[in-house]
Amino acid sequence: MTTSRTSGARGTSAATDIAYIAVFAALISVLGFISIPIGAAGVPIVLQNAATILAGLVLGGRRGFLATALFLLVGCFLPVLAGGSTVIHALAGPTVGYLAGYLLGSGAAGLIAYRAPFNNKAATIAVFFVGGLVAIAFQYVLGSFGLMWRAEMGLGAAFAAQLAFILPDLGKLAVMVAIAFAVHSAFPQLRRTR
């Protein structure tokens, strides 16, 4: 009797995890329709990078990583990236590094966020913000390497290309942290699995 209850709970948890992952992959995809081109490197301001961070903050490291991986997998076949392109197309372009940053950043943000002391509002928000900053750092560093590789930029120029994104990304991060905190406050059961 206990065994069947335990396996039933695991099945429900796995089904719930799959649903969360699919919903966040869809959210990341939908936000690809918002893209503002800036800078000489051809890298636009997008909301997808913020959505991958939100996936990690809300779902945790494993599920956030998997949601972003599912988004990238779907993107191999459908034009869900910002500007209406596919992952296959992006692999040959200057934004290739950002895709790797999305993946690793969402996992890192989630691993950090789920270590927050959820009984302390200010500390939880601070930990979420740190997780988001680490995710942005992954995006910028790997994005810079992608620019160096695909746009043949030097190291200094590739890192300088990130400067135009700092303030918009910090603003997006503040919104994502607020959303993640609100979601965790409303649905504390999210933290039972990572």
Side-chain angles (χ1 to χ4, degrees):
M1 194 76 139
T2 305
T3 306
S4 64
R5 283 183 186 168
T6 304
S7 64
R10 285 184 187 149
T12 302
S13 177
T16 302
D17 284 351
I18 290 168
Y20 289 149
I21 290 164
V23 165
F24 270 86
L27 175 67
I28 298 166
S29 297
V30 167
L31 290 177
F33 294 105
I34 301 170
S35 173
I36 304 165
I38 65 160
V43 180
I45 290 179
V46 297
L47 291 181
Q48 281 181 329
N49 70 322
T52 62
I53 294 169
L54 180 64
L57 296 177
V58 171
L59 300 179
R62 181 182 59 83
R63 293 180 300 185
F65 178 91
L66 290 173
T68 304
L70 178 58
F71 153 71
L72 292 172
L73 179 64
V74 169
C76 288
F77 307 101
L78 297 173
V80 296
L81 293 182
S85 68
T86 64
V87 168
I88 302 298
H89 180 262
L91 290 176
T95 59
V96 61
Y98 293 100
L99 300 182
Y102 288 180
L103 191 60
L104 296 178
S106 63
L111 289 174
I112 293 167
Y114 270 55
R115 279 154 180 69
F118 288 97
N119 58 345
N120 182 325
K121 179 180 178 179
T124 298
I125 291 171
V127 171
F128 280 14
F129 202 79
V130 168
L133 288 175
V134 169
I136 289 172
F138 268 109
Q139 293 174 9
Y140 285 6
V141 169
L142 294 173
S144 294
F145 289 144
L147 291 173
M148 292 168 60
W149 179 34
R150 293 296 189 190
E152 299 180 4
M153 298 175 91
L155 179 64
F159 275 100
Q162 312 303 316
L163 296 177
F165 300 99
I166 292 174
L167 287 178
D169 283 345
L170 290 176
K172 290 184 284 184
L173 177 58
V175 173
M176 296 304 115
V177 166
I179 292 170
F181 183 80
V183 169
H184 281 288
S185 297
F187 304 100
Q189 68 271 19
L190 281 170
R191 299 189 294 274
R192 291 185 188 146
T193 60
R194 299 176 186 186

